[in-house]
Amino acid sequence: MAGIDPNRTFIPVRIAVLTMSDTRSASEDKSGDLLAKLITEAGHVVADRKLVRDDANAITAAVKGWIDDSQIDCVITTGGTGFTGRDVTPEAVKPLFEKDIEGFSILFHMLSYQKVGTSTVQSRACAGVAHGTYIFCLPGSPGACRDAWDGILKFQFDARHQPCNFVEIMPRLEEHRNAG
């Protein structure tokens, strides 16, 4: 049965939050604010937070910087996952992935469909792993961020969640680099 095993120890995860927007300032970043609040309430650490314009190079640079930072376990981005001309988050981030987390997108769309129906098709939410860092690209709406956190991420980033979770495999994400 899926659920929290109270006999296991909670382990805080260090998460960076990146918001993409051409129209909002940091003081108007409702999705980033919500993610930071949910992360903190769950017992994790907001290790860093930035807002960048919808520019592929700026997005790639911010995410790559966090991938290279050993103090960051996970990056969650919000915004730029649609398919208008300025929506470039997947194009900027997916090339960094060493492995896709395909099930995240599927599960996100299943949850989103329950709230927004067929409009979920307009999101290119995606996830992957790069150099031992989890990366999740979420839509820019607070509702979508809440759906992703409450429906998926808060469980997968809880080491007590069974039958499995992202935290328990974190030490093994880089084992292929250590083989020799």
Side-chain angles (χ1 to χ4, degrees):
M1 233 27 206
I4 301 296
D5 179 348
N7 297 316
R8 296 185 69 150
T9 302
F10 179 83
I11 301 169
V13 176
R14 298 168 309 241
I15 302 171
V17 177
L18 178 65
T19 301
M20 274 61 69
S21 180
D22 285 340
T23 59
R24 287 185 225 129
S25 66
S27 65
E28 303 165 318
D29 180 13
K30 292 179 184 174
S31 294
D33 289 344
L34 176 64
L35 284 168
K37 177 180 176 262
L38 294 171
I39 289 164
T40 303
E41 286 177 353
H44 301 295
V45 176
V46 177
D48 201 357
R49 186 169 167 196
K50 294 179 185 171
L51 186 142
V52 299
R53 302 195 56 73
D54 288 300
D55 174 79
N57 291 331
I59 296 166
T60 300
V63 174
K64 186 160 181 1
W66 284 331
I67 290 169
D68 293 340
D69 184 341
S70 64
Q71 296 304 304
I72 306 288
D73 301 313
C74 173
V75 174
I76 301 177
T77 75
T78 176
T81 63
F83 44 84
T84 66
R86 298 291 295 159
D87 291 324
V88 296
T89 301
E91 289 79 8
V93 176
K94 279 185 167 185
L96 302 172
F97 292 174
E98 294 170 341
K99 295 186 178 184
D100 291 324
I101 305 173
E102 295 169 359
F104 173 80
S105 180
I106 295 165
L107 187 52
F108 173 80
H109 285 293
M110 289 172 58
L111 294 169
S112 181
Y113 180 79
Q114 295 172 13
K115 304 269 178 85
V116 299
T118 60
S119 294
T120 190
V121 77
Q122 294 189 30
S123 167
R124 296 181 299 144
C126 59
V129 177
H131 293 277
T133 303
Y134 292 107
I135 305 163
F136 298 89
C137 300
L138 310 180
S141 76
C145 290
R146 181 175 292 283
D147 290 346
W149 183 266
D150 287 348
I152 306 167
L153 299 177
K154 81 173 178 182
F155 300 109
Q156 283 300 298
F157 283 114
D158 191 327
R160 302 168 300 171
H161 185 265
Q162 293 299 300
C164 58
N165 60 74
F166 290 146
V167 179
E168 66 190 359
I169 61 172
M170 284 171 58
R172 296 179 37 221
L173 293 176
E174 293 271 88
E175 66 191 2
H176 64 289
R177 293 186 208 295
N178 302 326

